[in-house]
Amino acid sequence: APAAGRPPAAPTPGPSGDDAQGSATIPFPFTFNVVAHTKLSIYTNGFIQFGTSSASTTVYGAAIPTAAAPNNIIALAWEDLNVTTGNIQYWTDGVAPNRKFVVAFNNVFFYSAAGNVTGQIVLNEIDNSIEIFHTNITQAGNSAVCGIENANGTSGLVAPGRQFGTWGSGTVVNEGWRFFVPPAAT
């Protein structure tokens, strides 16, 4: 699956280090679980979160759904990652009403220092869809989960074969998933 595109000449750097979090502004309202959001939190542990950020940045992968924090998330490869190698970047691509807000994890290692994650989470303005691209993920014995979860952790969708654990052979190359979350009632 092709990724959402190359970053601009100067993408915005995301959080780095171990168990870190940073905030980002989405340049258009993105509806997730019936709430329009213009801000999100990016976590070095392989996910983004809407609304109030978790009380702790030391939250590691779990099966989706789970009532335990964090909730209201989109998980690329949620687990204990360490952004001392590689980086996280984000940017906006396109023009209204067809913009895409992209969060890219580039060669980010699992905390164990074995295995790495390269992929993107893409929020689409036109239809509020979510695309998750796994460019190259090597789990090397590490677990992870890919999916989305609602604000109270009672409902979620997981990409087929990507629930918390080792995914098949533990190596994923060039796959993509698209999620549609119902918009706010009109």
Side-chain angles (χ1 to χ4, degrees), residues 32-34 50 62-68 70-75 78 130 145-159 163 179-182:
F32 186 71
N33 293 314
V34 303
F50 297 98
I64 290 178
T66 179
N71 302 121
N72 221 23
I73 65 169
I74 300 172
W78 175 28
I130 300 157
V145 62
C146 170
I148 63 175
E149 183 180 85
N150 71 352
N152 57 13
T154 58
S155 179
L157 296 171
V158 175
Q163 185 57 277
F179 297 89
F180 291 94
V181 180

Side-chain angles (χ1 to χ4, degrees), residues 36-178:
H37 298 277
T38 56
K39 295 189 181 295
L40 57 79
S41 295
I42 302 168
Y43 286 79
T44 57
N45 287 336
F47 67 95
I48 64 173
Q49 181 180 38
F50 297 98
T52 305
S53 61
S54 294
S56 172
T57 57
T58 58
V59 289
Y60 309 128
I64 290 178
T66 179
N71 302 121
N72 221 23
I73 65 169
I74 300 172
L76 172 74
W78 175 28
E79 183 48 314
D80 190 5
L81 304 178
N82 189 355
V83 187
T84 53
T85 299
N87 62 55
I88 299 172
Q89 302 171 319
Y90 61 95
W91 65 89
T92 303
D93 190 23
V95 296
N98 296 301
R99 291 174 288 186
K100 296 174 179 284
F101 184 79
V102 181
V103 178
F105 287 70
N106 303 303
N107 198 33
V108 173
F109 276 73
F110 285 90
Y111 184 78
S112 67
N116 61 347
V117 173
T118 297
Q120 297 177 343
I121 297 171
V122 181
L123 308 179
N124 291 291
E125 177 182 28
I126 190 75
D127 61 4
N128 284 295
S129 65
I130 300 157
E131 295 171 311
I132 298 176
F133 296 102
H134 293 151
T135 306
N136 187 1
I137 297 178
T138 304
Q139 288 180 296
N142 295 287
S143 293
V145 62
C146 170
I148 63 175
E149 183 180 85
N150 71 352
N152 57 13
T154 58
S155 179
L157 296 171
V158 175
R162 303 297 176 245
Q163 185 57 277
F164 187 69
T166 301
W167 305 340
S169 69
T171 300
V172 177
V173 178
N174 293 332
E175 74 175 17
W177 304 100
R178 178 175 261 190

